[in-house]
Amino acid sequence: EIIIKVNDNFILENSSIVSDVKIDETRENTFTPIGNGGDIKITAKNLSMISTNNELNTLIATSTFGEGDGGDIVLYIDNKFEISGANASISSGAKKESIGNGGDICIGNCNNINISPNLFILENGGQITVSNQGVLNAGDIAITADFMIAFPNKNLITADAGLGNGGEIEITTNAIFSGNITNISTTIVDSEFLLMSADSKSRLGLNGTIDIDTPEVDPTSGLITLPESPVDASKLIDQNFCKVGKDSEFIITGKGGLPQFPNDTLTPN
């Protein structure tokens, strides 16, 4: 298990945090690993995952190649969370050699802990994926944020599986600002484990579900319809000054104002 706690800003740029269970290919006698992968838990005020180098990945990832399940990824971000760049991604998967379920990804409000980002930005090809290329199910994706922005190039949120069921994607936010190029999908994908052609689909698993929960708020409620013609301000002013001044008073007290003490006389200065 990997646990990272940062009081302020955590920037991950062109580097990775990975927890996996895999075969040690350097040994002569290899065997299928047994056991679940470790979780990754990160707590920070702000988390930025930035990819600025096409040859380097910016990853937070868990995976399993063995008989156990993949680890979960849990992010407690209090203010702002961004994933930026085509090589920047959060992923949890089970490889085709595995016999285990893929791990889950949770961003905000995880494990009954009410910590979620005010703003979540997925941009420039950033990705959040769970997958299972083996025989069991993909993990789930849960995202909770006050506001979510996804732009402008081919951002992906996917929960795919081969033989097993696709994962569930649940997004809870007040508003999502996104272009039509952001792809959110839960599908059964072709698996090399099945030795199928590219056009084949696995019929043994079920597609996952997508649930996007935003409050049913009408942004036009409470607005006042303004008149189409402008108001003539001159009609709002009464031009009869004598009528306006009737029964009114105007008192001059002099330059000195009130005396300093009640018994003193009022002086002009």
Side-chain angles (χ1 to χ4, degrees):
E1 185 177 46
I2 299 174
I3 299 176
I4 299 174
K5 294 183 179 181
V6 180
N7 292 330
D8 201 355
N9 301 325
F10 181 24
I11 299 176
L12 190 66
E13 183 174 354
N14 302 326
S15 56
S16 301
I17 301 171
V18 178
S19 174
D20 58 15
V21 178
K22 63 182 180 179
I23 299 173
D24 186 359
E25 297 179 351
T26 62
R27 300 179 62 178
E28 294 183 359
N29 297 322
T30 60
F31 58 91
T32 301
I34 300 175
N36 297 328
D39 299 336
I40 297 177
K41 298 179 181 179
I42 299 177
T43 303
K45 181 177 181 180
N46 300 297
L47 173 58
S48 297
M49 297 180 60
I50 305 172
S51 172
T52 58
N53 189 323
N54 293 331
E55 297 180 357
L56 298 175
N57 294 323
T58 301
L59 301 177
I60 297 177
T62 61
S63 64
T64 177
F65 291 76
E67 295 184 4
D69 297 335
D72 297 332
I73 298 175
V74 180
L75 304 179
Y76 300 108
I77 310 303
D78 187 47
N79 187 40
K80 178 183 176 182
F81 175 38
E82 64 174 331
I83 305 175
S84 179
N87 291 334
S89 67
I90 298 176
S91 67
S92 179
K95 306 303 181 181
K96 65 179 181 179
E97 301 89 350
S98 68
I99 313 175
N101 294 301
D104 299 330
I105 295 176
C106 183
I107 302 171
N109 286 359
C110 308
N111 301 323
N112 296 321
I113 299 177
N114 188 16
I115 299 177
S116 58
N118 298 322
L119 178 62
F120 174 40
I121 301 175
L122 184 66
E123 62 180 353
N124 298 321
Q127 301 181 28
I128 301 175
T129 63
V130 291
S131 64
N132 194 324
Q133 300 173 15
V135 296
L136 295 183
N137 303 324
D140 300 328
I141 298 174
I143 301 172
T144 302
D146 290 345
F147 297 97
M148 181 175 176
I149 300 176
F151 69 97
N153 293 322
K154 298 180 181 179
N155 306 294
L156 299 176
I157 301 177
T158 60
D160 300 334
L163 285 174
N165 298 331
E168 297 181 358
I169 298 176
E170 181 178 359
I171 300 175
T172 304
T173 181
N174 293 324
I176 297 178
F177 303 93
S178 173
N180 56 8
I181 46 181
T182 298
N183 179 32
I184 303 178
S185 67
T186 57
T187 61
I188 305 297
V189 299
D190 300 319
S191 173
E192 294 179 0
F193 181 81
L194 297 174
L195 299 178
M196 290 184 176
S197 65
D199 293 330
S200 297
K201 295 291 183 182
S202 170
R203 298 181 182 274
L204 300 181
L206 300 175
N207 287 344
T209 61
I210 300 175
D211 183 12
I212 300 178
D213 183 14
T214 56
E216 296 180 359
V217 177
D218 182 4
T220 63
S221 63
L223 298 181
I224 300 175
T225 303
L226 298 177
E228 296 181 358
S229 57
V231 178
D232 186 0
S234 63
K235 294 182 180 180
L236 303 178
I237 302 175
D238 195 334
Q239 303 295 334
N240 190 341
F241 299 105
C242 295
K243 182 179 179 181
V244 173
K246 184 179 180 182
D247 298 327
S248 61
E249 295 180 342
F250 183 71
I251 300 174
I252 300 177
T253 60
K255 298 180 180 180
L258 296 175
Q260 185 175 1
F261 299 101
N263 297 328
D264 293 346
T265 59
L266 181 63
T267 60
N269 295 321

